[in-house]
Structure formats: C-alpha cells, structure tokens
Amino acid sequence: MTIATDVQAAKRWWSSKTIWLGAHLMAAAPVLEYARDNSTLLHAYVGKADAAISFCLGVIVVWLRNVTRKPIGKP
C-alpha cells in the first residue's frame, strides 16, 4: 500500500461511532446544566459537576479517537 491508498482507505471522522459518542457527550453538557439550574424536579438528580464531567468525557473520547491509529483487531 502506498500513502495515497492509505489516505483514501482511511475512515472519515463522521463515520466513527466513537466520535459521535464524544460529540453527544459534549452536547449533553449544556442540557444537564440547564436541567440543574431550571428544573426543580430534576435538581435533586443532576449533580453540580455533571455538565463539566460530560463535556470533559466527550473531549477525552474524541481526542483518544484522533490519536489512535492502530485497529483493535485484524484489518
């Protein structure tokens, strides 16, 4: 394989389920923040750090996916 065929065979970011998971975790952060601040019913269930943790986990998942180059199993 040459570099050109490796690049063509590379998976695009929008095809990665891991990237989508990270994006959804980051998108959940403002929703959790809003629920914590404005919902008296959910206030007891949504902790103070849930939004920050959700966002940080999303960033970590996306970062790890981008730095990983080797497949898990046999290609």
Side-chain angles (χ1 to χ4, degrees):
M1 290 184 120
T2 64
I3 294 175
T5 57
D6 287 344
V7 171
Q8 290 173 350
K11 188 177 190 180
R12 299 289 183 208
W13 69 267
W14 58 83
S15 300
S16 173
K17 292 177 186 170
T18 309
I19 294 289
W20 282 105
L21 171 67
H24 282 91
L25 284 171
M26 288 186 282
V31 174
L32 290 172
E33 187 92 19
Y34 179 82
R36 184 188 72 212
D37 293 341
N38 296 314
S39 176
T40 57
L41 179 65
L42 296 175
H43 185 71
Y45 299 108
V46 179
K48 291 186 177 186
D50 284 349
I53 290 171
S54 175
F55 185 80
C56 289
L57 282 175
V59 169
I60 290 169
V61 166
V62 171
W63 177 74
L64 285 173
R65 175 61 186 97
N66 283 326
V67 298
T68 303
R69 296 292 176 218
K70 290 185 175 182
I72 292 174
K74 295 180 181 179

